[in-house]
Amino acid sequence: MTQDLNALTEAEFRIVVRKFLADNYPENLRNPPKRLHWRDNQVWYHTLARTGWLCPGWPVEHGGMGLSAARQIALTEEFERHGVARTNDHGIVMVGPLLIQYGTQAQRDFFLPKILAGEHIWCQGYSEPGAGSDLAGLRTSAVSDGDHWVVNGQKIWTTLANDANWIFLLVRTDPAAKKQEGISFLLVPMDTPGITVRPIINLELHDEFCEVFFDNVRVPKANTVGEVNKGWTVAKNLLGFERIFLGSPKLSAHALGRLRALADRMGAWDDAAFTDRYTALRLELEDLKSLHATFVDIVRRGEALGPDVSMLKVIQTELFQKITDAMMDIAGENAGLLEPMEGNRELHPSGLFIQARPSTIYGGSNEIQRNILSKNVLGLPG
Amino acid sequence: MTQDLNALTEAEFRIVVRKFLADNYPENLRNPPKRLHWRDNQVWYHTLARTGWLCPGWPVEHGGMGLSAARQIALTEEFERHGVARTNDHGIVMVGPLLIQYGTQAQRDFFLPKILAGEHIWCQGYSEPGAGSDLAGLRTSAVSDGDHWVVNGQKIWTTLANDANWIFLLVRTDPAAKKQEGISFLLVPMDTPGITVRPIINLELHDEFCEVFFDNVRVPKANTVGEVNKGWTVAKNLLGFERIFLGSPKLSAHALGRLRALADRMGAWDDAAFTDRYTALRLELEDLKSLHATFVDIVRRGEALGPDVSMLKVIQTELFQKITDAMMDIAGENAGLLEPMEGNRELHPSGLFIQARPSTIYGGSNEIQRNILSKNVLGLPG
Amino acid sequence: MSAAASDDANESVRLIRDSAAAIAPPGGDTRRIRALRFQDPGFDRGVWGTMCEMGWPGLLVAEADGGSALGMREYCALAEQLGAGLAPEPLIPASMAARLLSGADLAALLAGRHLVLPAWQERPNSLDTVGDTVIAGGKVTGRKCFVPMAAGADAFVVSGQGGLALVARGAPGLSIALEQTQDGGNFGTLSFADTPCTMLAGDMVAALEPAALATAAYLLGVMDRAFALTLDYLKTRHQFGRPIGSFQALQHRAADLKIQVALTRAGVESAAAAIDAGATGALALAAVSRAKARAADAAMLVTRQAIQLHGGIGYTDEADPGLYLRKAMVLSNLYGSAALHRARYAANAADQDD
Amino acid sequence: MSAAASDDANESVRLIRDSAAAIAPPGGDTRRIRALRFQDPGFDRGVWGTMCEMGWPGLLVAEADGGSALGMREYCALAEQLGAGLAPEPLIPASMAARLLSGADLAALLAGRHLVLPAWQERPNSLDTVGDTVIAGGKVTGRKCFVPMAAGADAFVVSGQGGLALVARGAPGLSIALEQTQDGGNFGTLSFADTPCTMLAGDMVAALEPAALATAAYLLGVMDRAFALTLDYLKTRHQFGRPIGSFQALQHRAADLKIQVALTRAGVESAAAAIDAGATGALALAAVSRAKARAADAAMLVTRQAIQLHGGIGYTDEADPGLYLRKAMVLSNLYGSAALHRARYAANAADQDD
């Protein structure tokens, strides 16, 4: 099958994907208002695992679909168009590719099949209460004790940790080293004694994020990925892809569609000031699409993304917020409702407005992205 | 006369001022598009001197009108309403009050009558090519030589230096001292050998600003104001008043009137997006007026202005720019014209747009004002 | 205003602020606020009783009618203080109702025994108080929406074609649908079908003005407190080995927020002073619209930035900035959105000649 | 486009850029630019001749008609390069005229012997090419304005009711009033009174599109270069003992300007690619409008900020940032302002379903 999919034209490929979704995706999970938990999406997850569609980007020899970069982009677009919910995908998009690149043969042999089978559900332990924007300032420690590490500390903003049975962790293994050195990358089963998960209720009143506490947690040294004290290199590698992902215009495109529906409902088109504002948002989205396409072309050509990809994250997240700001402005008193207007999921300005808030904070806050742009792209000093 | 003026009600006082202007102000000098030179405004200047209206704020015993703060504000408002051009007023608003506060009796006896008579025209030597925003970083030096200072260095942005016969100067008299210490305040005749003035053509294609070069210029030590090495205290005193002056809503009010005239001419009122934008600018102006009034009240009560007066400068100058930005947006191709549209001074969007540019740079750039607000008002660290 | 009158007003404003702060400490009682959220009726009837004992719903009511006969400056100072403390009690709608009642009805409201709320709105983004509702022959028929804290009301003042009427909560033919609001309160949608009522003589349109201005003042309190919280956070939160408030980009943003708060305060205070000085008609409408337009936009800006500047923690429900954001989301568009008030300002303020 | 065709296009774009940079070095020849400012005709006829030798006015013209038959990508690359170098020579209007001429007229234009410029506009803020001008019986009567660099034209292509006509500069009944423009060039207002003309067969409306898009590209060059200048200044200018570019507030502003330049480039290149790939009708109008709207706003923003970030020196006429600001002031509203193009975009781009 995978051979065939890469050989198809893009148009043919998209038809295959659409048919696959029409045949397999549960109708009630289309465009969910909040991030789904494992209890809700595991049936779909196992469908993907069973049909071999779970890991589009993994090479065929590791059990993936082996899709080219171009095909993966088309696949993502079709999934988004269909309103497919994001799954608990950290194992698929992060741990798998990482182990393929940095893991030992033993690690690959053990972990990859468990991910492919939907048996291991992963979460990511990077941020800490004292190390948010300053990720390299993390303090969770791992102290050597024979063939184990003993981990103590706390992680925060761990997405869906309450669904996961494994976590990948950045820990400090050399407290004397400079900030970005002395960090190692560990793989830890969530049922290890000493791990406690506490869900955080966010402004959506949803428990998507968690705190994870580590109290003398013993981790086999065999679960270290890459060299000891070189974990920052491993982790950094994952951040590049995150930015083109966070810069995808699809989220803003979706929000603009909702703004249009709201404007229809509110009769806002009679107001030329709104119409001009709407058109400016549309134009910004179209320009973002054009700019995004130039970065996608880089990926398509197999070249490395530069730090200027941070522009996409800034533009996309702030456009998303500007669109939801406009919603609040035209929604009138409905802007204050907790639930969707008239029970119609499509008309939930306050919900989307709140959903847009953290986009400029996570994945490296937009302040951090602008620091990266000014220093690593524009070469400004200090 | 001055006794009478303070005793009048404000309404009566304004009537007196209006009559004075109607009787005396040259019609052809109303609302000039650019800052006037001495050759153009000296007749009016001497009229003010002759009638005793030149120095409204100076105490009566020093030859001024002795007007209260409230009367001075009303006077300024009436002058602005009438479109009275700004004169070469550094002697009146800066040097005189400064000498009254910090000068020796001999300095007061010599200089004040010359200012009152319109004989001494002053300019201000603060900024230097390497010390713009960082005013305290100035490097023009004054080295002691008997009862003289020998001044070497360069000043820049000296307004109308090409009209002045005296300059007040900040110079470094102790090169070893920390930045704001070791600075002294000197009074220097412009015809002293070694002084060269070079006008700078600005974006208005006008020579309002000058560079002033000092090459072994000998200045009597008797011309030092305040203590040697304490000139910063003297100079700082002048900056507070500058900000409430630069924050006066009158400039933006004038610009908004021009925007209205342009909108009439361009038929822009048919465009609801413009109308909403215009109303937002109007509201910002009205809010600025309300905020400005609270600071004027402080002055009226004779209390000291706090550093939060920097807000006024930021709001006013950026509003002025936003208004002229709107002009450019509706002017169509006229935005590119060098001269007024149809020869009508009231319709000169490009001219006012350019005139608005430096307002966020001079008088302490708006970046500096925001630094002041964050550190001295909000107490933010560093 | 003479200097003596001005001193009196300053003193009564100070007294109001002090007593308000005792009941709704600025940012100091979020435990109470959190406990009341998303529960009916969304506020504390006991605290409401205390507010009535303080005479707050009657602040603008004449002394002969049992009120305090104070001015808009005092009312705005009170509303601002309640905003700083996020007090959910429905002081603004109840004060609006107080203007529309008289006699025993008014006395019961002011005493805190009988909570009456106005039901005037039929469409979002509108200040029209009449709509399609018909009041005739002692009956009301129609539909009113966005009645804040309707869950706790004992009766409603309803406006419509035919005048103004008082309807008891339990009146036959009245059904109430409640929707939760982001701040933990509720909006009621009231459907009347031949519902018995008693006629009133008040003017709903005029009563909207103090409510709109007080809402601007409440939003001023909300943004002022959200900004103060944020400033504290900027000074104490460290990243990269220094307080985040030492980063210039954040400093300048804080300065811009400070400017918005200052402009809002200037606008609210000048509107209140103008009305206390006797401004009426278009002048008063323009003053209220200016204050409400700025307050709505500035409150949203400041509370949005409070979330952003708090980073991840700002997005948690357990941190306080979200409480201020949600309050701004509910109140910004109440009694007219910023766009509506900009348009109303343009229609009412004479343009200048200079 | 196939990979091979794309490589060809990339190569011809590179060639165009190189040859343009030789004649109009980006930011490197402001002495020439300054010498030509505010002097008639506002550009250098000799340099214009060289540009014609390079085949630039005929870039889009078919080979059979003496042109190079290249695409919009090449044309935009050329215009961008000229913008970076602030070249005042009227390439864009002359290229527009080239689309409207044929035979010997066209040959004379392309050879640089006879400079023909289009005169189509009668009102500001409008893309209407007809207006009140009447062309009939071999005579033109009417008034056209905002003809860029009219001071240097030998003839004009005039549109009006009745079609399109060629009018010699010296034709009887034609009077030309010149107004100086901020960039040192000029706008001509042409009054025709029974002025003899020869009829032409071209389409003025269609000819506007490449001119509008090339103006967006020229503005891209202007802003890109103004930004580069500013970035250099941020790195070298010291205040408070450090380069001003080390201050975070300025760094973040620079990042925002970089984003505007990048969005403009993406929009211009995607419009050029769409047209080269055969886009026509509403699709092409929308693409051009998107590019021009962004370029106009971004050019004004970037050049304004270039002044601000240069501080006092930026406000002097002898510093270069002002040259870029003035160019942006003249070109941003030419061939349609940002607001006009936003409205035209909305009228022509199909809204999406997702």
Side-chain angles (χ1 to χ4, degrees):
Chain A
M1 178 190 74
T2 50
Q3 286 296 88
D4 294 334
L5 291 178
N6 275 324
L8 297 175
T9 67
E10 185 157 315
E12 290 164 344
F13 173 73
R14 285 176 187 271
I15 291 170
V16 171
V17 177
R18 286 180 200 180
K19 178 159 185 344
F20 174 77
L21 293 174
D23 291 347
N24 291 283
Y25 191 70
E27 192 61 25
N28 66 323
L29 297 188
R30 289 181 75 169
N31 288 314
K34 295 176 183 175
R35 186 83 188 257
L36 294 185
H37 273 297
W38 178 243
R39 61 177 174 271
D40 300 313
N41 68 26
Q42 60 175 311
V43 169
W44 165 238
Y45 195 98
H46 283 131
T47 303
L48 288 167
R50 197 181 60 243
T51 53
W53 283 64
L54 191 62
C55 299
W58 294 18
V60 175
E61 64 267 33
H62 293 294
M65 293 172 84
L67 290 187
S68 69
R71 287 292 168 275
Q72 287 179 58
I73 288 161
L75 182 88
T76 306
E77 285 178 2
E78 291 303 325
F79 271 48
E80 283 170 343
R81 186 188 301 268
H82 193 77
V84 174
R86 199 174 156 189
T87 56
N88 300 56
D89 55 10
H90 278 98
I92 302 163
V93 299
M94 305 189 91
V95 179
L98 203 77
L99 290 178
I100 290 169
Q101 190 175 356
Y102 293 100
T104 61
Q105 189 59 44
Q107 287 171 339
R108 285 196 284 262
D109 288 347
F110 177 72
F111 288 107
L112 300 186
K114 308 273 191 191
I115 295 170
L116 283 162
E119 194 175 321
H120 281 183
I121 303 302
W122 286 86
C123 64
Q124 167 182 348
Y126 278 16
S127 292
E128 299 185 6
S133 286
D134 179 17
L135 185 54
L138 62 90
R139 285 183 301 188
T140 293
S141 67
V143 175
S144 174
D145 180 21
D147 55 1
H148 279 71
W149 296 108
V150 180
V151 177
N152 278 286
Q154 181 191 350
K155 295 291 174 178
I156 195 169
W157 317 128
T158 306
T159 304
L160 299 181
N162 39 4
D163 280 348
N165 47 24
W166 280 80
I167 185 168
F168 57 99
L169 272 189
L170 288 178
V171 293
R172 189 161 296 286
T173 36
D174 180 356
K178 277 199 298 179
K179 275 174 90 174
Q180 298 185 357
E181 295 158 27
I183 288 174
S184 299
F185 197 105
L186 306 186
L187 309 176
V188 187
M190 290 294 280
D191 59 2
T192 316
I195 296 183
T196 316
V197 174
R198 193 179 77 92
I200 301 169
I201 305 298
N202 67 19
L203 288 190
E204 293 187 72
L205 304 177
H206 183 49
D207 61 346
E208 178 178 347
F209 306 124
C210 299
E211 291 179 287
V212 186
F213 299 88
F214 297 85
D215 179 16
N216 287 317
V217 173
R218 297 183 63 84
V219 180
K221 286 189 174 165
N223 287 9
T224 312
V225 182
E227 282 180 58
V228 171
N229 292 334
K230 299 289 180 202
W232 186 253
T233 319
V234 179
K236 235 180 74 177
N237 196 285
L238 291 177
L239 294 175
F241 277 101
E242 197 177 6
R243 268 151 215 172
I244 195 167
F245 179 75
L246 296 175
S248 159
K250 281 288 157 183
L251 201 56
S252 287
H254 172 73
L256 200 72
R258 296 295 171 94
L259 175 59
R260 207 156 47 234
L262 182 67
D264 290 345
R265 184 69 193 76
M266 301 303 299
W269 303 113
D270 297 337
D271 171 9
F274 172 75
T275 305
D276 191 56
R277 182 178 183 186
Y278 173 78
T279 304
L281 293 170
R282 247 185 105 180
L283 286 167
E284 189 157 338
L285 173 62
E286 293 303 316
D287 287 345
L288 168 62
K289 284 183 186 171
S290 296
L291 185 61
H292 186 258
T294 67
F295 284 95
V296 170
D297 279 345
I298 293 172
V299 175
R300 277 208 174 103
R301 291 196 301 266
E303 295 167 17
L305 288 171
D308 53 348
V309 70
S310 283
M311 292 195 291
L312 292 182
K313 200 259 175 179
V314 171
I315 301 165
Q316 197 292 122
T317 55
E318 294 179 9
L319 174 58
F320 183 25
Q321 292 189 344
K322 279 186 265 189
I323 292 168
T324 63
D325 290 350
M327 287 182 187
M328 297 303 278
D329 287 344
I330 64 166
E333 289 75 0
N334 298 302
L337 293 178
L338 186 67
E339 300 293 334
M341 293 162 56
E342 307 159 13
N344 178 352
R345 252 190 209 176
E346 302 278 318
L347 299 173
H348 194 190
S350 62
L352 213 55
F353 171 81
I354 286 185
Q355 216 177 90
R357 292 308 105 197
S359 68
T360 50
I361 297 170
Y362 62 49
S365 73
N366 285 23
E367 289 81 9
I368 295 292
Q369 306 296 341
R370 285 188 168 86
N371 286 347
I372 292 171
L373 288 170
S374 63
K375 281 167 195 146
N376 302 342
V377 177
L378 304 179
L380 290 171
Chain B
M1 176 191 76
T2 50
Q3 287 297 88
D4 293 335
L5 290 179
N6 275 324
L8 296 176
T9 67
E10 185 159 314
E12 291 165 346
F13 173 74
R14 285 177 186 270
I15 290 169
V16 172
V17 177
R18 286 181 200 180
K19 180 165 186 334
F20 173 79
L21 292 174
D23 291 348
N24 291 284
Y25 191 72
E27 192 62 24
N28 65 325
L29 296 189
R30 290 182 73 170
N31 288 314
K34 293 176 185 176
R35 186 86 190 253
L36 294 184
H37 273 297
W38 180 244
R39 61 179 174 272
D40 301 312
N41 69 25
Q42 62 175 309
V43 170
W44 166 238
Y45 195 99
H46 284 131
T47 303
L48 288 167
R50 195 180 62 244
T51 52
W53 282 63
L54 190 62
C55 298
W58 294 19
V60 176
E61 64 266 34
H62 293 292
M65 296 171 83
L67 291 188
S68 68
R71 287 290 170 277
Q72 289 179 58
I73 288 162
L75 183 90
T76 306
E77 285 178 1
E78 290 303 325
F79 272 48
E80 282 170 344
R81 187 188 302 268
H82 194 77
V84 174
R86 201 176 155 186
T87 58
N88 301 55
D89 55 9
H90 279 99
I92 302 160
V93 299
M94 304 187 93
V95 179
L98 203 76
L99 290 178
I100 291 168
Q101 187 174 358
Y102 293 101
T104 62
Q105 190 58 45
Q107 287 171 341
R108 284 197 284 262
D109 289 347
F110 176 72
F111 287 107
L112 299 186
K114 307 275 191 192
I115 293 170
L116 284 161
E119 194 174 319
H120 281 183
I121 303 302
W122 286 85
C123 63
Q124 167 182 344
Y126 278 16
S127 292
E128 299 185 3
S133 286
D134 180 17
L135 184 54
L138 63 87
R139 284 183 301 190
T140 293
S141 66
V143 175
S144 174
D145 180 21
D147 56 0
H148 278 71
W149 296 109
V150 181
V151 177
N152 279 286
Q154 179 190 349
K155 295 290 176 183
I156 195 166
W157 317 128
T158 306
T159 305
L160 299 180
N162 39 4
D163 280 348
N165 48 24
W166 280 79
I167 184 168
F168 56 99
L169 269 190
L170 287 180
V171 293
R172 189 161 295 286
T173 38
D174 180 356
K178 275 198 299 179
K179 276 175 91 175
Q180 300 185 357
E181 296 159 25
I183 288 175
S184 299
F185 196 105
L186 305 185
L187 309 176
V188 187
M190 289 295 281
D191 60 2
T192 316
I195 296 183
T196 316
V197 174
R198 192 180 75 91
I200 301 169
I201 305 299
N202 65 21
L203 288 190
E204 292 188 73
L205 303 178
H206 184 49
D207 61 347
E208 179 178 347
F209 305 122
C210 298
E211 290 178 290
V212 186
F213 299 88
F214 298 85
D215 179 18
N216 287 318
V217 173
R218 295 182 65 82
V219 180
K221 285 188 177 170
N223 286 10
T224 312
V225 182
E227 282 180 59
V228 171
N229 292 336
K230 299 287 180 203
W232 185 253
T233 318
V234 179
K236 234 181 74 175
N237 197 284
L238 291 176
L239 293 176
F241 279 102
E242 196 176 8
R243 266 151 218 173
I244 196 166
F245 179 76
L246 295 176
S248 160
K250 280 288 159 184
L251 200 57
S252 288
H254 171 73
L256 200 71
R258 296 296 170 93
L259 175 59
R260 207 156 48 234
L262 182 67
D264 289 345
R265 182 70 192 76
M266 302 304 299
W269 304 113
D270 297 338
D271 171 10
F274 172 75
T275 304
D276 190 57
R277 182 178 182 184
Y278 172 79
T279 304
L281 293 170
R282 248 185 104 179
L283 285 167
E284 187 155 341
L285 174 62
E286 292 304 316
D287 287 345
L288 168 62
K289 283 183 187 170
S290 295
L291 185 62
H292 185 256
T294 68
F295 285 95
V296 169
D297 278 346
I298 293 171
V299 175
R300 279 208 172 103
R301 292 195 301 268
E303 296 167 15
L305 287 171
D308 54 347
V309 71
S310 283
M311 289 195 294
L312 292 181
K313 199 260 175 180
V314 171
I315 301 167
Q316 197 293 123
T317 56
E318 294 178 9
L319 174 58
F320 183 23
Q321 292 189 343
K322 278 184 269 191
I323 293 168
T324 64
D325 289 350
M327 287 183 186
M328 297 303 277
D329 287 344
I330 64 166
E333 290 75 359
N334 297 302
L337 292 177
L338 187 66
E339 301 291 336
M341 291 163 56
E342 306 158 13
N344 177 354
R345 252 191 209 176
E346 302 278 318
L347 299 173
H348 194 189
S350 63
L352 214 53
F353 170 81
I354 285 183
Q355 218 178 87
R357 293 308 105 198
S359 68
T360 49
I361 296 170
Y362 62 50
S365 72
N366 286 21
E367 288 81 10
I368 294 293
Q369 306 296 342
R370 285 190 169 84
N371 286 346
I372 292 170
L373 288 171
S374 63
K375 281 167 195 144
N376 302 343
V377 177
L378 303 179
L380 289 172
Chain C
M1 193 184 317
S2 74
S6 167
D7 284 349
D8 283 355
N10 288 339
E11 176 61 10
S12 69
V13 163
R14 197 184 58 72
L15 285 171
I16 287 281
R17 284 190 190 277
D18 287 351
S19 55
I23 292 176
D29 200 5
T30 52
R31 191 180 304 174
R32 176 176 98 86
I33 307 307
R34 286 176 184 281
L36 294 167
R37 292 196 305 164
F38 309 124
Q39 312 289 331
D40 276 357
F43 61 95
D44 184 332
R45 196 69 192 236
V47 172
W48 175 245
T50 310
M51 291 180 172
C52 291
E53 282 166 28
M54 309 292 296
W56 293 351
L59 209 71
L60 297 175
V61 172
E63 287 183 16
D65 297 325
S68 323
L70 291 170
M72 281 307 299
R73 290 184 60 200
E74 288 83 359
Y75 186 30
C76 285
L78 173 61
E80 181 195 336
Q81 212 66 44
L82 296 184
L86 291 173
E89 284 70 27
L91 179 81
I92 295 172
S95 299
M96 186 174 162
R99 288 181 65 108
L100 304 168
L101 298 174
S102 59
D105 293 330
L106 177 57
L109 170 65
L110 297 186
R113 290 195 309 274
H114 200 65
L115 179 59
V116 184
L117 298 178
W120 55 272
Q121 193 168 6
E122 302 191 7
R123 293 190 317 283
N125 270 331
S126 165
L127 295 182
D128 174 30
T129 61
V130 176
D132 300 325
T133 297
V134 177
I135 303 174
K139 301 282 172 94
V140 183
T141 296
R143 189 169 170 279
K144 295 285 176 182
C145 55
F146 304 124
V147 180
M149 294 297 180
D154 300 313
F156 302 95
V157 189
V158 184
S159 53
Q161 299 168 23
L164 201 66
L166 183 64
V167 178
R169 185 193 187 88
L174 166 58
S175 63
I176 304 177
L178 294 173
E179 287 184 289
Q180 290 194 310
T181 49
Q182 287 283 346
D183 60 351
N186 52 81
F187 282 157
T189 300
L190 278 50
S191 301
F192 305 91
D194 282 329
T195 306
C197 64
T198 56
M199 297 303 291
L200 297 171
D203 179 350
M204 185 70 91
V205 172
L208 273 176
E209 297 306 310
L213 182 52
T215 302
Y218 191 104
L219 285 166
L220 170 60
V222 166
M223 73 181 81
D224 194 55
R225 185 62 208 154
F227 180 60
L229 272 186
T230 303
L231 215 47
D232 280 351
Y233 191 76
L234 290 174
K235 290 173 188 175
T236 50
R237 166 78 171 172
H238 281 65
Q239 291 277 273
F240 303 100
R242 32 196 278 219
I244 60 173
S246 69
F247 287 95
Q248 198 191 30
L250 304 194
Q251 291 182 338
H252 284 200
R253 213 180 301 163
D256 287 337
L257 299 180
K258 168 72 183 171
I259 284 173
Q260 286 302 314
V261 176
L263 285 173
T264 307
R265 182 176 300 287
V268 167
E269 290 183 350
S270 109
I275 289 168
D276 284 347
T280 54
L283 212 60
L285 293 178
V288 170
S289 282
R290 169 153 78 89
K292 181 63 168 57
R294 169 74 57 188
D297 280 346
M300 289 301 288
L301 176 69
V302 172
T303 55
R304 277 193 323 245
Q305 282 295 328
I307 305 294
Q308 178 70 24
L309 291 167
H310 274 79
I313 204 77
Y315 193 61
T316 65
D317 189 56
E318 68 189 3
D320 287 344
L323 296 177
Y324 292 86
L325 175 70
R326 290 173 191 280
K327 187 60 87 180
M329 290 170 71
V330 175
L331 289 187
S332 286
N333 289 348
L334 219 53
Y335 307 108
S337 68
L340 183 151
H341 279 291
R342 277 197 300 274
R344 200 180 80 151
Y345 175 86
N348 284 284
D351 223 329
Q352 315 239 329
D353 294 314
D354 61 326
Chain D
M1 192 184 314
S2 73
S6 166
D7 284 350
D8 283 355
N10 288 340
E11 176 62 13
S12 68
V13 164
R14 198 185 58 72
L15 285 172
I16 288 281
R17 284 190 189 276
D18 287 351
S19 56
I23 293 177
D29 200 5
T30 53
R31 190 180 304 175
R32 175 177 100 86
I33 306 308
R34 287 176 184 281
L36 294 167
R37 290 196 306 165
F38 308 125
Q39 312 289 331
D40 275 357
F43 62 93
D44 184 331
R45 195 69 192 235
V47 172
W48 174 246
T50 310
M51 290 180 173
C52 292
E53 282 167 28
M54 308 292 296
W56 293 352
L59 210 69
L60 297 176
V61 172
E63 287 183 17
D65 297 326
S68 323
L70 289 170
M72 280 308 298
R73 290 184 61 200
E74 287 83 0
Y75 186 33
C76 284
L78 173 61
E80 181 193 336
Q81 211 68 42
L82 296 183
L86 291 173
E89 284 71 25
L91 179 81
I92 294 171
S95 299
M96 187 174 160
R99 287 181 65 106
L100 304 168
L101 297 174
S102 58
D105 292 332
L106 177 58
L109 170 66
L110 296 186
R113 289 195 308 274
H114 201 66
L115 180 59
V116 185
L117 298 178
W120 56 273
Q121 191 168 10
E122 302 191 8
R123 293 190 318 283
N125 270 332
S126 165
L127 294 182
D128 174 30
T129 61
V130 176
D132 300 325
T133 296
V134 176
I135 303 175
K139 301 283 172 92
V140 183
T141 295
R143 188 167 172 279
K144 296 285 178 182
C145 57
F146 304 124
V147 180
M149 294 299 180
D154 300 310
F156 301 95
V157 189
V158 185
S159 53
Q161 299 168 25
L164 202 67
L166 184 64
V167 177
R169 184 189 189 91
L174 165 59
S175 63
I176 304 176
L178 293 173
E179 288 183 288
Q180 289 193 310
T181 48
Q182 287 282 348
D183 61 349
N186 53 80
F187 282 155
T189 300
L190 278 50
S191 301
F192 305 91
D194 282 328
T195 306
C197 64
T198 56
M199 298 302 290
L200 296 173
D203 178 352
M204 187 69 93
V205 172
L208 275 177
E209 297 306 311
L213 182 53
T215 301
Y218 191 105
L219 285 167
L220 170 61
V222 166
M223 73 180 84
D224 194 57
R225 184 66 207 152
F227 180 61
L229 272 185
T230 304
L231 214 46
D232 279 351
Y233 191 76
L234 289 174
K235 290 173 187 174
T236 51
R237 167 77 170 172
H238 281 64
Q239 292 278 273
F240 304 101
R242 35 194 275 218
I244 60 173
S246 69
F247 287 96
Q248 197 192 29
L250 305 193
Q251 291 182 338
H252 283 200
R253 213 180 301 162
D256 287 337
L257 298 179
K258 167 72 184 172
I259 284 173
Q260 287 302 315
V261 177
L263 285 173
T264 307
R265 181 175 300 287
V268 167
E269 291 184 351
S270 108
I275 289 167
D276 285 346
T280 54
L283 213 60
L285 293 177
V288 169
S289 282
R290 169 154 76 91
K292 181 62 168 55
R294 168 74 56 187
D297 281 347
M300 289 302 288
L301 175 70
V302 172
T303 55
R304 279 194 321 247
Q305 282 296 327
I307 304 294
Q308 179 70 23
L309 291 168
H310 275 80
I313 203 78
Y315 194 61
T316 66
D317 189 56
E318 70 189 1
D320 287 342
L323 297 177
Y324 291 87
L325 176 71
R326 290 173 190 282
K327 187 59 87 179
M329 290 170 71
V330 176
L331 290 187
S332 286
N333 288 350
L334 220 55
Y335 308 107
S337 68
L340 183 150
H341 279 291
R342 275 197 300 275
R344 201 180 79 152
Y345 175 84
N348 283 283
D351 221 329
Q352 315 240 327
D353 294 316
D354 62 327

